[in-house]
Amino acid sequence: MADTMQFDLVSPERSLASFQVNAVQIPGADGDMTAMPGHTPVITTLRPGVLKAEGPDGAKEYVVSGGFAEINATGLSVLAEKAIPLNEMTRAHLDELIADARAKHESAKETFKNEPGPVDDAAKLLADMVALGDHIAL
């Protein structure tokens, strides 16, 4: 088994990372997980949270708002809805993410009046965004 694997993180705006890692902690929608070289192939959705990539040159952290992670034989690819390096995250970024989540929740309440599933999903997204701010102390 190799000591490292390829890690790529992209968002619609830009490519944020492409380097070798020993492990990546992923904020999965069904629970946090750590991907390491030799991990079983899997695709998972992301919840808002901090993604931490640990490599030979140290650890790098990114705030992600959602998206997908694919682990395969060659490495890990993360396609994030929005991603920002943690050291670049500001209160203004967080306020924007929360405002977007709040707008999605309000839209879901209007669109899905008798369908609690989508409204509950939007409420969870909003709660996750607020919790993210507490987690990163913004």
Side-chain angles (χ1 to χ4, degrees):
M1 178 185 311
D3 290 342
T4 62
M5 66 181 181
Q6 180 62 33
F7 166 66
D8 295 297
L9 170 62
V10 297
S11 72
E13 295 86 26
R14 63 183 171 156
S15 173
L16 285 100
S18 182
F19 53 89
Q20 294 292 306
V21 296
N22 304 98
V24 179
Q25 296 173 9
I26 303 166
D30 294 326
D32 293 351
M33 63 186 297
T34 301
M36 299 172 72
H39 194 287
T40 300
V42 68
I43 296 176
T44 187
T45 54
L46 303 176
R47 65 169 170 72
V50 177
L51 184 145
K52 182 177 181 181
E54 300 173 21
D57 297 331
K60 296 182 182 179
E61 296 178 301
Y62 305 89
V63 173
V64 295
S65 65
F68 297 91
E70 178 185 11
I71 305 166
N72 59 38
T74 61
L76 168 66
S77 296
V78 176
L79 308 171
E81 291 173 4
K82 290 189 180 183
I84 302 167
L86 183 60
N87 62 355
E88 294 177 19
M89 188 73 177
T90 65
R91 183 68 208 190
H93 288 119
L94 180 63
D95 289 344
E96 180 184 332
L97 292 172
I98 291 172
D100 288 348
R102 186 169 281 121
K104 288 177 183 175
H105 183 235
E106 291 302 319
S107 176
K109 287 193 302 187
E110 277 297 310
T111 304
F112 302 101
K113 291 182 189 251
N114 296 316
E115 299 176 52
V119 176
D120 292 345
D121 291 345
K124 183 174 181 338
L125 174 66
L126 178 56
D128 284 347
M129 287 298 179
V130 172
L132 174 61
D134 292 341
H135 177 72
I136 62 175
L138 282 182

